[in-house]
């Protein structure tokens, strides 16, 4: 039988399947042939039965390998980030063994430390919202950096001795991205006015200053918390207006309306012209006039932005495809969460193609129902300054042990490229004209640096009060700093956002020269 099978295989190789069947008939007996056919059928059945088992084996092996890779990635890469998440309430258990670490500015000023068993803030209200407080729900850097403040990288021998003595170890120090001089300048420039200031590095996302008013003294957090949470209070002192305050963007929104118009009219947006008169009726029902009822006359697109012409932008709004306009804004994170670790509100744009067209004119120049946070506005203007690349804002530069040895360094992280080079160049030139020939000219007269920006005024309380806005950056060739400023009741307190911006730019470039 063995020799017959070998002969059969050799001849099968030569004559193929047809020849094989003929050989079987000639060489094998009927019983042998029936046996081989039965075996072939069994092999085919087994092959079909084994196929799912082999597939399940491969899938199981893949899942096991994937799980092992995930566990290793978590242990090596994500462990600290997950544990450090501000929502992890179990972190406070570390306080039983560790003295909460200090928080310092990038230029070495201590802004949070300890006095005995009590948390102490040496500068009282100046860093109230951005540094926050460590009691109750926590806020600011005290919240987002809670894990690092309760970690201790003191010398291992020192930690061992403290453990034997049942004494606490010294927690690590957070070196923030904040600059003391810029924070003081922003705080003093706001004075008694309510509002917010954000100062950022466009190319890194590092927040150099963040101020919100009204403020509070975190050294008195027990009383502040009690008052802010009492039944009959209207207090909003705990609200960080820089990240959680939602405001109509006013004419700063014209930057994005300009961008939407450029994208929807790529070949001829520079040909746009408008003749600004005392007032204009849009859709035969909406009457528009410029702030202070100024008449700007004949304008192209760059002059319309420089002069902050409401009539021109109401006209531009009527020419936009609203759904495409909304898409542009959502690219810039309207109706989306910002890539920022601390609590922040979501900026809103409500119009779409089904909306009442009567809402379009005012929306185009930043009134209507559109809302934005000062931080978001800072991110938008920083994106222009950074060549179209939006960076994720952050507040913690590095972690050191209590003796100053660096433990961890945080690096800048980008969100996405949102503008082309051509769009950046056009918007920058238009915003530069705002400072040289437009609404911000008087505020930047005599400046030793080149700035670009956009002023804004938004009416609220039924037109009885004004918000004053300014967003901008300096310099033009190599932008180093961007600002976003909002002043509440500017019509009452007389503080203008552009004036605050000038003080901040002056302070920044003065520090750069040291």
């Amino acid at each position: 039988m063995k020799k017959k099978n070998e002969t059969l295989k050799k001849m099968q190789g030569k004559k193929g399947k047809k020849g094989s069947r003929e050989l079987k008939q000639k060489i094998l007996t009927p019983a042998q042939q029936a046996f081989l056919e039965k075996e072939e059928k069994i092999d085919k059945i087994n092959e079909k039965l084994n196929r799912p088992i082999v597939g399940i084996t491969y899938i199981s092996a893949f899942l096991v390998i994937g799980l092992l890779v995930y566990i290793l990635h978590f242990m090596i890469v994500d462990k600290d980030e997950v544990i450090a998440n501000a929502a992890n309430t179990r972190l406070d258990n570390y306080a039983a063994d560790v003295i909460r670490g200090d928080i310092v500015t990038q230029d070495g000023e201590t802004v949070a430390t300890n006095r005995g068993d009590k948390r102490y803030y040496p500068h009282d209200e100046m860093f109230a919202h951005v540094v926050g407080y460590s009691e109750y729900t926590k806020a600011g850097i005290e919240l987002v950096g809670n894990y690092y403040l309760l970690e201790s990288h003191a010398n291992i021998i020192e930690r061992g001795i403290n453990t034997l003595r049942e004494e606490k170890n010294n927690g690590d120090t957070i070196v923030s991205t904040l600059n003391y001089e810029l924070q003081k300048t922003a705080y003093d420039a706001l004075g008694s006015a309510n509002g917010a200031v954000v100062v950022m590095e466009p190319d890194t996302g590092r927040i150099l200053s963040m101020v919100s008013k009204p403020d509070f003294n975190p050294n008195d957090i027990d009383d502040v918390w009690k008052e802010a949470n009492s039944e009959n209070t209207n207090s909003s002192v705990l609200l960080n207006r820089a990240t959680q305050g939602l405001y109509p963007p006013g004419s700063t929104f014209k930057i994005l309306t300009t961008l939407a118009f450029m994208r929807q009219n790529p070949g001829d947006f520079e040909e746009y012209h408008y003749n600004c008169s005392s007032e204009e009726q849009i859709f035969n029902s909406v009457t528009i006039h410029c702030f202070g009822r100024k008449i700007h006359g004949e304008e192209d697109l760059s002059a319309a932005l420089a002069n902050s012409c409401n009539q021109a932008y109401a006209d531009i709004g009527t020419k936009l495809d609203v759904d495409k306009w909304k898409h542009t804004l959502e690219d810039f994170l309207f109706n989306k969460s910002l890539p920022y670790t601390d609590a922040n509100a979501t900026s809103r744009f409500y119009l779409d193609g089904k909306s009442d067209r009567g809402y379009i004119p005012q929306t185009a120049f930043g009134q209507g129902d559109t809302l934005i946070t000062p931080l978001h506005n800072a991110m938008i203007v920083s994106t222009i300054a950074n060549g179209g690349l939006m960076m994720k804002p952050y507040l913690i530069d590095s972690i050191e042990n209590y003796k100053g040895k660096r433990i961890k360094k945080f690096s800048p992280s980008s969100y996405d490229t949102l503008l082309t080079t051509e769009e950046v160049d056009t918007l920058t030139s238009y915003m530069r004209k705002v400072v040289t020939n437009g609404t911000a000219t008087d505020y930047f007269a005599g400046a030793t640096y080149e700035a670009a920006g956009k002023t804004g005024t938004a009416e609220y309380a039924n037109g009885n009060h004004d918000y004053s806005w300014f967003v901008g950056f300096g310099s033009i060739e190599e932008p180093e700093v961007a600002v976003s400023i909002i002043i509440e009741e500017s019509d009452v307190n007389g503080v203008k956002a552009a004036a605050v911006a000038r003080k901040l730019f002056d302070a920044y470039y003065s520090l750069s020269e040291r």
Side-chain angles (χ1 to χ4, degrees):
M1 177 63 74
K2 184 176 180 181
K3 290 182 178 179
K4 288 181 179 180
N5 286 340
E6 290 175 353
T7 302
L8 177 61
K9 289 180 180 178
K10 289 179 181 179
M11 299 193 71
Q12 281 178 336
K14 293 179 180 179
K15 294 188 175 182
K17 293 182 179 179
K18 184 177 181 182
S20 173
R21 284 194 297 270
E22 291 174 354
L23 285 169
K24 284 179 183 178
Q25 294 171 355
K26 292 178 180 179
I27 298 173
L28 303 178
T29 67
Q32 290 170 334
Q33 183 176 340
F35 175 79
L36 288 177
E37 288 176 353
K38 183 179 180 181
E39 288 295 312
E40 286 178 358
K41 289 180 180 179
I42 292 172
D43 287 342
K44 289 179 180 179
I45 291 171
N46 287 336
E47 184 179 352
K48 289 181 179 179
L49 292 173
N50 289 335
R51 198 173 296 156
I53 297 173
V54 173
I56 291 171
T57 302
Y58 280 126
I59 292 171
S60 299
F62 176 79
L63 291 174
V64 170
I65 292 171
L67 180 61
L68 289 173
V69 170
Y70 173 78
I71 291 172
L72 289 172
H73 184 271
F74 174 82
M75 293 176 66
I76 296 171
V77 179
D78 292 339
K79 174 177 69 70
D80 286 346
E81 182 178 344
V82 173
I83 296 173
N85 192 298
N88 185 359
T89 57
R90 300 178 71 179
L91 288 174
D92 288 339
N93 294 333
Y94 289 20
D97 302 310
V98 177
I99 300 170
R100 192 173 186 82
D102 291 350
I103 301 174
V104 302
T105 64
Q106 60 167 276
D107 45 348
E109 193 73 24
T110 300
V111 292
T113 186
N114 304 293
R115 277 188 174 179
D117 294 331
K118 188 173 177 62
R119 198 66 166 161
Y120 175 62
Y121 302 91
H123 299 285
D124 298 327
E125 295 89 352
M126 188 186 299
F127 291 85
H129 290 94
V130 65
V131 170
Y133 45 90
S134 63
E135 302 297 327
Y136 304 101
T137 58
K138 296 185 177 62
I141 298 175
E142 291 276 30
L143 174 62
V144 299
N146 192 36
Y147 167 69
Y148 303 109
L149 295 168
L150 292 173
E151 272 267 282
S152 178
H153 285 86
N155 181 281
I156 190 169
I157 296 175
E158 178 184 335
R159 281 184 283 159
I161 293 172
N162 286 336
T163 299
L164 292 173
R165 292 177 175 175
E166 296 185 349
E167 295 178 356
K168 292 184 178 182
N169 292 298
N170 288 293
D172 293 337
T173 296
I174 287 180
V175 180
S176 72
T177 61
L178 300 169
N179 179 281
Y180 175 79
E181 292 297 333
L182 290 177
Q183 185 77 4
K184 187 176 187 306
T185 299
Y187 187 85
D188 291 345
L190 278 179
S192 60
N194 292 336
V197 173
V198 179
V199 183
M200 284 178 60
E201 287 181 352
D203 60 340
T204 65
R206 288 158 53 94
I207 295 174
L208 304 179
S209 174
M210 182 182 285
V211 174
S212 175
K213 290 188 177 185
D215 52 33
F216 61 95
N217 190 335
N219 292 309
D220 301 325
I221 189 59
D222 290 337
D223 293 336
V224 173
W225 184 265
K226 182 178 179 180
E227 169 63 24
N229 289 278
S230 62
E231 292 183 3
N232 300 317
T233 186
N234 292 318
S235 174
S236 62
V237 297
L238 292 177
L239 180 74
N240 185 351
R241 282 160 164 75
T243 60
Q244 297 169 288
L246 285 167
Y247 299 92
S251 292
T252 64
F253 191 71
K254 291 171 182 172
I255 296 171
L256 292 176
T257 303
T258 301
L259 175 63
F261 185 71
M262 289 164 54
R263 289 183 172 178
Q264 294 185 33
N265 300 273
D268 58 1
F269 68 87
E270 292 182 326
E271 303 303 316
Y272 177 80
H273 280 82
Y274 182 83
N275 186 17
C276 174
S277 57
S278 59
E279 63 180 37
E280 179 79 10
Q281 267 209 341
I282 309 293
F283 302 136
N284 298 319
S285 59
V286 182
T287 301
I288 303 296
H289 56 79
C290 288
F291 184 74
R293 295 191 175 272
K294 289 183 179 178
I295 300 174
H296 299 116
E298 190 70 23
E299 302 168 298
D300 62 9
L301 187 58
S302 66
L305 187 70
N307 296 326
S308 203
C309 182
N310 291 345
Q311 287 185 37
Y313 275 88
D315 177 66
I316 289 170
T318 66
K319 302 179 188 304
L320 294 176
D321 180 306
V322 179
D323 285 326
K324 291 181 180 179
W325 186 15
K326 183 176 184 179
H327 180 74
T328 295
L329 293 170
E330 290 184 342
D331 282 346
F332 277 83
L333 298 177
F334 278 83
N335 305 327
K336 297 180 180 179
S337 297
L338 299 182
Y340 180 67
T341 54
D342 201 2
N344 60 92
T346 299
S347 300
R348 296 295 182 186
F349 182 80
Y350 294 97
L351 293 190
D352 58 28
K354 298 178 182 178
S355 300
D356 185 335
R357 288 180 62 79
Y359 292 115
I360 291 175
Q362 287 192 326
T363 300
F365 57 81
Q367 290 280 178
D369 294 327
T370 305
L371 297 171
I372 193 170
T373 65
L375 174 64
H376 190 186
N377 232 350
M379 292 171 64
I380 292 169
V381 74
S382 291
T383 302
I384 299 170
N386 195 38
L389 178 63
M390 178 178 281
M391 303 300 292
K392 298 178 182 179
Y394 66 106
L395 278 167
I396 301 178
D397 177 78
S398 59
I399 308 298
E400 298 177 348
N401 70 10
Y402 81 102
K403 288 190 175 180
K405 179 182 178 181
R406 179 175 288 179
I407 305 300
K408 182 181 179 68
K409 173 71 174 176
F410 293 87
S411 300
S413 177
S414 64
Y415 170 72
D416 200 0
T417 299
L418 304 179
L419 294 165
T420 67
T421 300
E422 292 75 15
E423 289 170 342
V424 168
D425 291 343
T426 299
L427 291 175
T428 299
S429 67
Y430 287 6
M431 292 168 67
R432 174 60 180 158
K433 195 170 181 179
V434 172
V435 172
T436 58
N437 300 97
T439 54
T441 302
D442 292 343
Y443 296 101
F444 287 90
T448 58
Y449 46 84
E450 292 184 336
K454 183 69 190 80
T455 59
T457 303
E459 296 179 347
Y460 68 105
N462 295 319
N464 293 321
H465 292 298
D466 296 337
Y467 293 121
S468 175
W469 274 102
F470 184 87
V471 296
F473 59 88
S475 60
I476 300 299
E477 296 300 323
E478 295 184 8
E480 301 170 274
V481 61
V483 301
S484 172
I485 301 151
I486 177 79
I487 308 295
E488 299 177 10
E489 292 191 350
S490 176
D491 55 300
V492 175
N493 55 48
V495 180
K496 301 300 179 184
V500 175
R502 173 62 189 268
K503 292 178 181 179
L504 286 166
F505 283 134
D506 285 353
Y508 178 87
Y509 286 105
S510 175
L511 288 171
S512 300
E513 293 172 358
R514 294 181 187 177

